Amino acid sequence: MSSLIDADEISHETELVWLEDIETLDYVRQSLDRLPTRKSKPAYHRDGRMVGYAILGPTAKPSRASGTFRRRVFWLLPHDRDIEPEGLYARSAPAEAVDPRTLEPRVKGYKTERSEGGPPSAAMQELGITLPL
């Protein structure tokens, strides 16, 4: 499981919005960003691209100090595996990466064989899922 995100920090999530088809992605990077709203699409200020974000329910409280909400944002960098399949992450994944198929509201997500760039597990083989490497 991703140790970078605490379960309490995502306990107010009601929905994950995907901007791309996650079935084509082996992994996404996730981070908790301080955002001004509970629901709207956040601005994106990193290299690469945002592929999704979390929406918070009405019980989520803003920070007393900043008035912002901590929300998950899912993103990829230009050197990630979807763009450079033989690059830096051909057989691994960044620390903040998880398999997007394991993500749900209030669920941190997991690294899987697929997200790590390794051989498919027996379960993946039984389902006929192959890695795009």
Side-chain angles (χ1 to χ4, degrees):
M1 222 182 246
S2 174
S3 61
L4 301 174
I5 294 181
D6 184 284
D8 290 342
E9 295 178 300
I10 60 175
S11 64
H12 294 283
E13 290 179 348
T14 59
E15 183 181 348
L16 299 182
V17 175
W18 295 108
L19 305 173
E20 295 186 19
D21 179 7
I22 60 170
E23 293 301 315
T24 65
L25 300 173
D26 293 340
Y27 64 82
V28 295
R29 295 171 185 253
Q30 67 176 341
S31 58
L32 277 170
D33 291 358
R34 293 207 172 273
L35 301 170
T37 67
R38 289 181 182 95
K39 294 183 179 185
S40 64
K41 179 180 174 184
Y44 185 73
H45 303 290
R46 294 179 179 91
D47 286 343
R49 66 193 195 274
M50 178 172 48
V51 295
Y53 59 91
I55 291 179
L56 303 180
T59 59
K61 302 284 187 238
S63 163
R64 289 183 185 182
S66 66
T68 58
F69 298 89
R70 290 190 40 104
R71 289 172 51 199
R72 277 194 295 179
V73 174
F74 306 100
W75 46 285
L76 291 166
L77 292 175
H79 61 273
D80 279 325
R81 192 181 314 145
D82 68 307
I83 300 295
E84 292 187 15
E86 300 302 322
L88 178 62
Y89 295 112
R91 301 262 181 241
S92 64
E96 68 274 13
V98 294
D99 186 331
R101 291 155 209 78
T102 66
L103 290 164
E104 294 179 25
R106 299 175 301 282
V107 176
K108 295 189 277 186
Y110 300 86
K111 288 193 184 239
T112 63
E113 291 92 346
R114 181 181 179 123
S115 68
E116 288 289 342
S121 66
M124 288 174 65
Q125 291 172 359
E126 285 177 25
L127 294 171
I129 300 170
T130 58
L131 294 171
L133 296 176

